Amino acid sequence: METVKIIEIKQSVYESNDKEAEKLRNELKERGIFLLNLMSSPGSGKTTTLTQVITKMKDKYRIGVMEADIDSDVDARTIATLGVESIQLHTGGMCHLDADMTRQGLQELTDKSIEFAILENVGNLVCPAEFDTGSSMNAMILSVPEGDDKPLKYPLMFSICDLIIINKIDVMPYFDFDMDKCIENVRMRNKNAKIIPISAKTGEGIDELTRYLSEKIDNWRE
Amino acid sequence: MHELGVVFHIIDDVTKVGEENSLTDIQSVTLQLGTVSTVIPSYLKDCWEWAVKKTELLKNAELIIEPIEAITFCEDCKSEYDTIKYGRTCPNCGSGHTYLVQGNEFMIKEIAGS
């Protein structure tokens, strides 16, 4: 008769990804690549915001963009018209990217001398928060129509971000969105995140955003 | 929320341990799952049933889930309470300065195999 062995593992399901992410982060630091992991709900204006940011920053840094979507390449094509390399990562139905998928994406970028890599994560405020991608910075966009109470509903996402961009402030008069309340709600779960209100449509706040990103990129690459 | 994705992570981790221990047939995998871990046990089991069939080592493996109750601590009145029932606001003093003590665990506890 075969004996059944019990093997104790006691390891978090996320642990192997966390280790892989830490390894990737260290490699990117060595290579002088700043990786921004950009997260948000669908329709918050990730691609429009990136269009503004890339237009302002592409002369200063070599930029590569990875668009993660379950299907289609509309976002990658939009970004490619800006003259920076852009690839589409199809997650095949998965709701988030992990460190392995991010590494594969970085390998697919043909420009090996990029300085600023942007990962546009799957539009989702739940799963991407659980999986460290190996990024240098976690950022998210919250748009005004989504409501100032979003930080209360998706606390993990708001607690893991270094930068929270509040987009579509141009339409604030039409929504019951209280900016002070929103910031207070963010602070309940994250005392340190940088908060920058913008309108990707009118360009308001974009200068502050690109200044902040430039400072972080330069620090990372020192 | 992302049950299928995490099932693949678990299969990868368990396969590695199984191979290191020269197992050829894993009969069960035991997880410890917090009740506010964002993972739904019944969905996890459905994904598990589907995914393990595609593997050799785990095709007969049963998924055993041990739940861990969610408890929140209030920093203002120093009391502990049931997270599922009261959420982030302390039922004793109404404070929002609270943090989760346990309940978001998602651990692979052990495996049994031969």
Side-chain angles (χ1 to χ4, degrees), chain A residues 36-39 137-141 160-165 190 192-196 209 212-213:
Chain A
L36 176 71
N37 175 25
L38 184 62
M39 298 168 283
M137 180 194 277
N138 284 326
M140 72 158 299
I141 301 177
I160 62 141
C161 279
D162 310 296
L163 168 64
I164 294 166
I165 301 163
N190 190 331
N192 303 317
K194 175 78 177 172
I195 301 173
I196 305 181
L209 176 59
Y212 180 75
L213 288 173

Side-chain angles (χ1 to χ4, degrees), chain A residues 89-101:
Chain A
L89 306 174
H90 284 161
T91 62
M94 295 274 271
C95 46
H96 63 272
L97 286 176
D98 62 19
D100 259 341
M101 289 189 262

Side-chain angles (χ1 to χ4, degrees), chain A residues 46-77:
Chain A
K46 283 197 294 295
T47 310
T48 314
T49 303
L50 280 185
T51 301
Q52 288 272 11
V53 166
I54 292 167
T55 305
K56 289 251 160 72
M57 296 180 79
K58 67 178 177 183
D59 293 335
K60 196 172 172 197
Y61 303 101
R62 295 181 73 103
I63 299 177
V65 181
M66 297 172 285
E67 297 282 345
D69 276 303
I70 287 173
D71 204 352
S72 107
D73 63 350
V74 286
D75 288 345
R77 279 189 281 143

Side-chain angles (χ1 to χ4, degrees), chain A residues 2-17 94-96 98 124 126-128 130-131 152 155-156 188-189 191, chain B residues 1-2 4-6 8-10 13-14 17 21 23-24 27 31-32 37-39 88 96 98 106-114:
Chain A
E2 281 185 282
T3 39
V4 174
K5 279 197 273 190
I6 308 281
I7 299 161
E8 191 175 80
I9 300 183
K10 286 263 176 210
Q11 178 189 313
S12 163
V13 171
Y14 303 112
E15 192 177 306
S16 49
N17 182 63
M94 295 274 271
C95 46
H96 63 272
D98 62 19
N124 175 343
V126 183
C127 319
E130 305 258 25
F131 287 87
L152 304 178
L156 183 64
M188 274 173 78
R189 298 303 157 209
K191 292 189 171 60
Chain B
M1 195 42 113
H2 42 224
L4 186 57
V6 294
F8 289 134
H9 278 281
I10 298 169
D13 285 346
V14 168
V17 174
N21 289 278
L23 300 181
T24 52
Q27 281 125 35
L31 303 180
Q32 288 176 316
S37 64
T38 77
V39 174
R88 286 168 186 275
T98 58
F106 191 9
M107 302 275 294
I108 306 172
K109 184 188 175 195
E110 62 187 26
I111 61 173
S114 52

Side-chain angles (χ1 to χ4, degrees), chain A residues 3 18 37 62 74-75 78 82 90 94 103 108-109 111 116 125 133 138 164 174 192 200:
Chain A
T3 39
D18 289 348
N37 175 25
R62 295 181 73 103
V74 286
D75 288 345
T78 306
L82 305 172
H90 284 161
M94 295 274 271
R103 180 187 290 279
E108 273 179 48
L109 287 169
D111 184 353
F116 181 17
L125 292 183
T133 56
N138 284 326
I164 294 166
Y174 306 101
N192 303 317

Side-chain angles (χ1 to χ4, degrees), chain B residues 5-109:
Chain B
V6 294
V7 160
F8 289 134
H9 278 281
I10 298 169
I11 290 178
D12 284 349
D13 285 346
V14 168
T15 301
K16 212 192 272 171
V17 174
E19 284 169 355
E20 281 165 11
N21 289 278
S22 312
L23 300 181
T24 52
D25 182 30
I26 294 179
Q27 281 125 35
S28 70
V29 173
T30 306
L31 303 180
Q32 288 176 316
L33 187 63
T35 51
V36 295
S37 64
T38 77
V39 174
I40 313 289
S42 63
Y43 292 176
L44 193 66
K45 283 203 166 180
D46 286 345
C47 294
W48 179 263
E49 294 302 325
W50 179 81
V52 291
K53 295 277 182 293
K54 300 184 180 309
T55 72
E56 193 47 42
L57 188 59
L58 284 138
K59 62 180 189 293
N60 302 314
E62 183 197 355
L63 185 69
I64 301 166
I65 299 174
E66 294 179 358
I68 296 178
E69 180 198 1
I71 298 172
T72 295
F73 179 77
C74 173
E75 290 180 275
D76 286 342
C77 74
K78 316 285 177 205
S79 66
E80 283 187 351
Y81 64 87
D82 178 350
T83 312
I84 298 276
K85 205 164 169 188
Y86 301 106
R88 286 168 186 275
T89 306
C90 176
N92 303 311
C93 72
S95 165
H97 299 129
T98 58
Y99 65 86
L100 193 70
V101 180
Q102 62 168 63
N104 63 351
E105 294 79 2
F106 191 9
M107 302 275 294
I108 306 172
K109 184 188 175 195

